[in-house]
Amino acid sequence: MTATTVASALVFASQASSAQSLPRIPDSTLDAYPTYNGDDLELKVDDKGTHFTLWSPGAEAVRLHLYTDGHNGKPYATVDMTPDKAHGIWRTSQKEQLWGKFYTFQVKIAGHWLDETPGVWAKAVGVNGQRAAIIDFSKTNPEGWENDKYVVTPHQTDAIVYEMHHRDFSAHRNSGIVNKGKFIALLEDGSVAPCGELTGIAHLKELGVTHIHILPSYDYNTVDETQLADRQYNWGYDPLNYNVPEGSYSTNPADPACRIIEMKEMVQALHNAGIGVVMDVVYNHTSFNDNSNFSLTAPGYYYRHRPDGSYSDASGCNNETASERQQMRDFIVNSVKYWAEEYHIDGFRFDLMAIHDVETMNQVSKAVRAINPYAVIYGEGWTAGDSPLPVELRALKENVSKIDGIAVFSDDIRDAVKGHYSRADDRGFASGKPGQEETVKIGIVASTAHPQVDYSLGSNSKFAYSPSPLSIMNYVSCHDDLCLTDKLRKSMPEANDSVRMRVARLAQTIVFTSQGTPFMFAGEEVFRDKKGIHNTYCSPDSVNAIDWDLKAANRQQFDYYRNLIALRKAHPAFRMTTTEEVARNIVFDKIKEPCLVAYSIKNNANGDQWKEIKVVFNGNNSDRTVNVPKGEWKLIAFDGKIDPEGLGTIKGGKTIVPSYSALILAR
Ligand code: CA
């Protein structure tokens, strides 16, 4: 198992105080449960009334509670449900269409009534997600929703992904956005910071990214939705209801339809701006153990266990789910299908994906791509701890060749370029640490087999694990660990921010010119920081919110990012789709100097208008000279400046590459 970033290894102290002890059911019994994959699971409303169906094969009895309120008061009715043992389900129906009402299920097992639960398939809930709501989804669609379309990037490598948290992006007092921290913040086109720069969705359009990746936006546990004035913050890696949007991102969490309508409005606004929406999904663990909705509906079934019956913990969050069990696998597949269809979500990022098995991920890819062939899907190809799931079955990055149509994050390029993710003072290639040159080359070819790349010299993986560039996400930072600015401040104490900004530009130029799909953390384009804090999962807005006045202060940095993105979008040579093309068209210079890598992309690669592109990265704190074939070249990037239309021309021959910068030439 790779020892890599513990993305979500957050230990939540908020386990329910009323945690009850569940009976331990042997795995062999759980494995033998009948399964049920009907589209009427839990709730269906039709002309004949309202129908409830709970999957709970181990239950001795199940009852349904009906409420008029989503949060307060006692049930107005309680109904015993009838078993259908062959399918492991329990059913009951009411003759009326119970629009506006709420419900919970309650399961009896080993002589004990468990706590009430909204079930695992609630699609609407009351405040804080304790009761499921019965609402008419046909009334939750914004005007024009029927014409709303997924964003089309013909190949995943054509996507440019921007990872953001709702609060980070809009919460700062200077964001110029009214609905701070809300889904509908992204409806406010033309918002402006006091410095005069565009923010919000207008900023995204100006930058040119193709997709935003939103941190968990399903209903999570930590933020108390009844106390939003407290401006609580959490990343959201503490899942509660997987198929409902998070209430705190809506303007009224007590109205079950509000969060649904507003999230759809956000997706529609982004689609209208030509920007797709990737959702961060966290099916690998739940916020609670015995008190999770999984445990309260079918105790034991949805989780993996150690031989002594305790919860195994590959997530670092006290439990891990069991995707190899049919009902859990179906749950994951049906849940992503639901988000793609009901909310028009363009793609998914799987947290700690290696907790899931390869077969489940293949089914996810197939199901989502049947709905949207242009879906952008990727995940973390690692776990945060050991798992009972055999290594060969895990959706690890080393197993990505077994997964069709889902990419993995390259920790190879990440750590090689900026330095080790958790050792704050460790530097990388871009900040002058020698010995990472071969791993940078591994990043450039997207971990595919290339005749000039020696994988035995790689810092992380020692073999070409990727079957094609489509299987790799390139990045140097994300919400986890130090953001790029903080990493450079901690690892380059002798430098000033102006030098660190050069290093950041070099680092991102490596990411955005490499084969594979580029991914960036929100605010890096304005050199945002997070006050040097590694894990900001519950830090306040004062740490996490992007200060938009930085955009004016660091406008040159923003312009560099914008031009870098424009360069990539204009030139398919950076976006090849097969290992064969990369091996044929990319030729590395034979250089033995530390922190210096140079290569050419030849043959009008991937239909590019440029016959040849020369790319040189100098991570040294002083100039270097490289040999460029003689002849006229267009100068695209030089000395920390970049322009896809060209900065001028040069004649080749001996060419200087200034410190901490990229040289890009084209002809
Ligand atoms: Ca919530």
Side-chain angles (χ1 to χ4, degrees):
M1 197 192 74
T2 41
T4 44
T5 190
V6 177
S8 312
L10 315 171
V11 177
F12 292 98
S14 54
Q15 291 282 328
S17 53
S18 66
Q20 54 203 315
S21 197
L22 293 179
R24 296 295 171 208
I25 301 169
D27 281 339
S28 55
T29 305
L30 300 170
D31 288 339
Y33 278 176
T35 60
Y36 181 74
N37 195 19
D39 67 358
D40 59 348
L41 264 174
E42 300 197 2
L43 176 69
K44 184 167 187 159
V45 184
D46 61 20
D47 295 344
K48 296 194 181 74
T50 307
H51 315 285
F52 301 89
T53 305
L54 187 72
W55 184 80
S56 184
E60 287 153 19
V62 179
R63 58 194 183 197
L64 170 78
H65 300 285
L66 293 168
Y67 295 89
T68 54
D69 189 275
H71 189 55
N72 298 311
K74 294 196 180 320
Y76 72 82
T78 292
V79 185
D80 291 330
M81 297 180 73
T82 307
D84 167 357
K85 292 242 159 83
H87 298 101
I89 54 177
W90 301 72
R91 291 189 191 275
T92 190
S93 288
Q94 299 279 303
K95 286 199 177 66
E96 311 80 37
Q97 295 180 326
L98 299 178
W99 301 129
K101 299 292 194 290
F102 298 82
Y103 64 91
T104 62
F105 299 106
Q106 195 174 19
V107 167
K108 188 180 190 185
I109 197 154
H112 246 59
W113 284 104
L114 305 182
D115 287 350
E116 293 172 46
T117 169
V120 302
W121 261 108
K123 293 172 180 165
V125 292
V127 70
N128 280 337
Q130 301 304 309
R131 295 175 187 170
I134 304 169
I135 66 164
D136 183 352
F137 269 80
S138 70
K139 294 180 179 156
T140 62
N141 295 334
E143 200 181 324
W145 187 243
E146 64 281 6
N147 299 318
D148 182 70
K149 297 241 167 19
Y150 299 112
V151 164
V152 174
T153 40
H155 299 286
Q156 183 145 324
T157 42
D158 299 324
I160 293 167
V161 182
Y162 183 90
E163 183 202 40
M164 58 175 258
H165 183 281
H166 295 287
R167 288 195 73 86
D168 294 12
F169 194 64
S170 58
H172 200 282
R173 66 182 181 284
N174 69 16
S175 69
I177 291 169
V178 176
N179 292 291
K180 292 179 169 60
K182 304 297 180 189
F183 293 125
I184 59 168
L186 287 155
L187 272 62
E188 297 181 36
D189 201 359
S191 56
V192 176
C195 65
E197 295 284 356
L198 293 170
T199 63
I201 194 168
H203 171 81
L204 295 174
K205 286 191 276 186
E206 188 183 10
L207 183 59
V209 295
T210 65
H211 289 73
I212 64 161
H213 152 157
I214 45 174
L215 259 65
S217 297
Y218 52 74
D219 183 26
Y220 59 78
N221 176 55
T222 316
V223 170
D224 183 347
E225 298 174 3
T226 67
Q227 303 296 330
L228 293 185
D230 294 349
R231 299 169 65 87
Q232 309 155 77
Y233 185 98
N234 204 281
W235 280 345
Y237 293 93
D238 54 336
L240 192 61
N241 292 295
Y242 282 102
N243 301 301
V244 188
E246 161 60 16
S248 65
Y249 299 142
S250 75
T251 56
N252 183 7
D255 171 2
C258 179
R259 61 181 79 185
I260 295 165
I261 294 167
E262 291 181 350
M263 188 169 178
K264 288 179 176 178
E265 287 176 339
M266 176 194 77
V267 172
Q268 184 182 46
L270 286 159
H271 284 175
N272 288 343
I275 298 169
V277 181
V278 174
M279 239 178 75
D280 193 341
V281 288
V282 189
Y283 298 105
N284 66 73
H285 74 273
T286 50
S287 183
F288 299 125
N289 288 356
D290 283 0
N291 266 57
S292 75
N293 292 324
F294 283 146
S295 292
L296 294 176
T297 54
Y301 180 85
Y302 291 100
Y303 298 96
R304 297 190 188 124
H305 304 98
R306 300 191 183 101
D308 67 1
S310 62
Y311 290 92
S312 56
D313 186 20
S315 71
C317 299
N318 304 323
N319 62 70
E320 64 179 284
T321 56
S323 59
E324 69 280 15
R325 288 211 171 104
Q326 191 63 46
Q327 193 75 16
M328 182 64 202
R329 178 177 287 163
D330 288 345
F331 179 81
I332 295 173
V333 172
N334 290 332
S335 182
V336 290
K337 281 172 69 179
Y338 174 69
W339 284 104
E341 285 176 331
E342 183 67 34
Y343 289 86
H344 301 183
I345 295 295
D346 299 84
F348 299 93
R349 174 267 191 195
F350 282 81
D351 186 64
L352 298 178
M353 184 168 73
I355 292 178
H356 305 317
D357 65 296
V358 162
E359 171 60 22
T360 297
M361 297 318 300
N362 275 313
Q363 290 193 18
V364 163
S365 173
K366 203 172 162 194
V368 173
R369 291 183 189 289
I371 297 163
N372 171 15
Y374 307 109
V376 174
I377 315 176
Y378 50 93
E380 291 183 306
W382 47 74
T383 65
D386 203 5
S387 170
L389 185 70
V391 170
E392 64 273 18
L393 299 184
R394 297 179 194 170
L396 286 163
K397 69 168 192 166
E398 289 85 353
N399 288 334
V400 72
S401 62
K402 300 177 187 171
I403 304 170
D404 192 20
I406 299 183
V408 291
F409 285 105
S410 169
D411 57 349
D412 307 83
I413 196 170
R414 181 195 68 198
D415 290 0
V417 170
K418 74 163 182 188
H420 192 265
Y421 69 96
S422 70
R423 293 199 302 272
D425 60 353
D426 188 45
R427 297 164 81 132
F429 172 93
S431 44
K433 178 182 164 188
Q436 300 302 308
E437 298 78 16
E438 205 67 17
T439 313
V440 168
K441 289 163 70 179
I442 288 171
I444 290 165
V445 301
S447 297
T448 60
H450 187 285
Q452 289 179 285
V453 178
D454 182 355
Y455 278 82
S456 72
L457 301 175
S459 298
N460 286 354
S461 290
K462 302 287 187 187
F463 72 104
Y465 58 85
S466 172
S468 91
L470 299 167
S471 295
I472 293 294
M473 302 298 289
N474 291 315
Y475 71 127
V476 284
S477 65
C478 64
H479 67 279
D480 280 318
D481 309 314
L482 292 176
C483 68
L484 191 55
T485 301
D486 286 334
K487 173 68 172 170
L488 297 177
R489 284 180 181 160
K490 295 233 177 181
S491 61
M492 302 182 76
E494 80 292 355
N496 58 33
D497 273 354
S498 149
V499 171
R500 295 183 191 114
M501 277 193 247
R502 283 179 71 88
V503 174
R505 279 176 240 171
L506 171 59
Q508 296 287 18
T509 307
I510 299 172
V511 167
F512 279 78
T513 53
S514 286
Q515 304 300 315
T517 305
F519 170 103
M520 65 177 287
F521 180 53
E524 281 176 342
E525 70 281 17
V526 300
F527 206 61
R528 69 87 50 96
D529 67 83
K530 292 199 289 181
K531 296 191 162 56
I533 301 172
H534 276 263
N535 187 348
T536 65
Y537 81 98
C538 66
S539 298
D541 291 339
S542 57
V543 172
N544 278 309
I546 298 170
D547 173 358
W548 290 102
D549 281 340
L550 289 171
K551 189 173 174 185
N554 301 322
R555 178 71 207 196
Q556 286 182 330
Q557 196 76 352
F558 175 80
D559 284 337
Y560 191 95
Y561 274 80
R562 188 169 55 90
N563 284 336
L564 182 60
I565 289 168
L567 172 70
R568 184 178 175 90
K569 284 164 96 170
H571 290 282
F574 301 115
R575 301 181 266 124
M576 288 181 260
T577 57
T578 66
T579 297
E580 294 68 31
E581 284 174 285
V582 174
R584 187 170 66 241
N585 298 325
I586 288 191
V587 180
F588 289 96
D589 292 13
K590 292 188 176 62
I591 291 178
K592 294 278 179 217
E593 277 189 75
C595 295
L596 194 65
V597 167
Y599 67 100
S600 295
I601 313 178
K602 300 191 175 208
N603 313 320
N604 298 93
N606 201 18
D608 206 288
Q609 69 190 76
W610 287 338
K611 185 163 187 293
E612 181 175 2
I613 305 171
K614 187 86 203 166
V615 185
V616 187
F617 303 129
N618 177 15
N620 295 287
N621 187 19
S622 53
D623 297 356
R624 289 292 181 274
T625 303
V626 292
N627 282 312
V628 174
K630 290 215 166 73
E632 183 157 299
W633 292 86
K634 197 186 253 195
L635 187 61
I636 305 301
F638 178 75
D639 195 22
K641 296 185 183 63
I642 190 167
D643 186 343
E645 303 301 320
L647 299 159
T649 57
I650 66 162
K651 296 289 182 199
K654 292 218 176 294
T655 305
I656 286 177
V657 189
S659 66
Y660 298 139
S661 74
L663 170 74
I664 302 177
L665 306 170
R667 62 179 179 184

